[in-house]
Amino acid sequence: MTALRTAAASAISIKYLAPRDAKVLGMIGAGHQSAFQVRAAVEQREFEKIIGWNLHPEYLVNLETVAREVGLPFEVIELDQLGEEADVIITITSSFDPILMDAQVIGGTHIACMGTDTVGKQEVESALVARATVFTDEVAQSISLGECQHAVASGSKAPDDIFQIGAVINGAHAGRTAQDEVTLFDGT
């Protein structure tokens, strides 16, 4: 149930925040949850390929298998290339050190940070969180246990600059406002 709920949450963020013409899905993390993430994501946009990176490359076969199941080509790439090419990036790791850096993300991108929430977790660099327009399902958890905790603690992102995804869904917040904007969903 948790795997399905987590994948559904990132899919909702893609539906409402990803660039309309998104063609490349980037995956960081290749564990059990990544398969659920891919299957849910491909229902939201007409992706043409999936690219992926994992700390332990031998696990990328999991993503390749799912990509084949959903009928998309898969390519193993380095993080710089992933950040440059992907229109949507899903991070699904248990990292305590940033994996995706601000300088690696080029152009209008949507990032869904879906990894395990706990004190100290960090999948993306705080500067990337600071640059992005950030949405979450639960602000209090996002800033205490989620991806935003480091950016808020350093003062580079104010809690008032983190928006509920529900506000986008019900029309109270515009969501993505520019093609070149970086949006980030911190799934909690």
Side-chain angles (χ1 to χ4, degrees):
M1 185 60 80
T2 298
L4 292 171
R5 185 210 67 81
T6 304
S10 67
I12 288 168
S13 81
I14 293 166
K15 176 179 180 175
Y16 286 95
L17 299 170
R20 287 279 158 224
D21 61 348
K23 299 296 181 201
V24 179
L25 173 61
M27 294 293 302
I28 297 175
H32 175 74
Q33 174 69 45
S34 66
F36 293 91
Q37 293 291 324
V38 168
R39 287 186 187 105
V42 299
E43 296 296 320
Q44 306 310 313
R45 294 291 186 275
E46 295 293 324
F47 292 110
E48 295 175 353
K49 76 174 178 176
I50 300 169
I51 56 179
W53 180 89
N54 195 62
L55 180 61
H56 302 286
E58 63 271 20
Y59 292 109
L60 288 165
V61 68
N62 298 336
L63 287 176
E64 185 175 19
T65 298
V66 159
R68 192 175 358 186
E69 289 172 4
V70 299
L72 292 172
F74 177 75
E75 184 180 350
V76 174
I77 61 171
E78 294 301 318
L79 286 169
D80 286 339
Q81 187 180 356
L82 188 142
E84 185 176 319
E85 288 186 23
D87 303 303
V88 172
I89 299 170
I90 299 173
T91 61
I92 188 70
T93 76
S94 56
S95 182
F96 284 84
D97 296 308
I99 298 168
L100 186 64
M101 304 305 210
D102 183 42
Q104 292 170 317
V105 177
I106 310 297
T109 306
H110 175 63
I111 304 163
C113 296
M114 304 307 296
T116 308
D117 278 359
T118 189
V119 173
K121 77 87 71 149
Q122 188 172 21
E123 296 183 290
V124 303
E125 185 177 31
S126 291
L128 182 53
V129 174
R131 174 166 59 118
T133 306
V134 177
F135 301 87
T136 188
D137 43 0
E138 178 56 51
V139 175
Q141 185 168 330
S142 175
I143 64 176
S144 62
L145 302 173
E147 196 59 39
C148 295
Q149 65 183 290
H150 299 283
V152 169
S154 71
S156 62
K157 191 67 149 185
D160 289 346
D161 291 331
I162 301 168
F163 306 101
Q164 296 246 344
I165 189 74
V168 179
I169 295 167
N170 71 21
H173 189 289
R176 172 176 292 278
T177 58
Q179 191 65 12
D180 62 348
E181 182 178 11
V182 174
T183 55
L184 186 145
F185 175 69
D186 181 11
T188 63

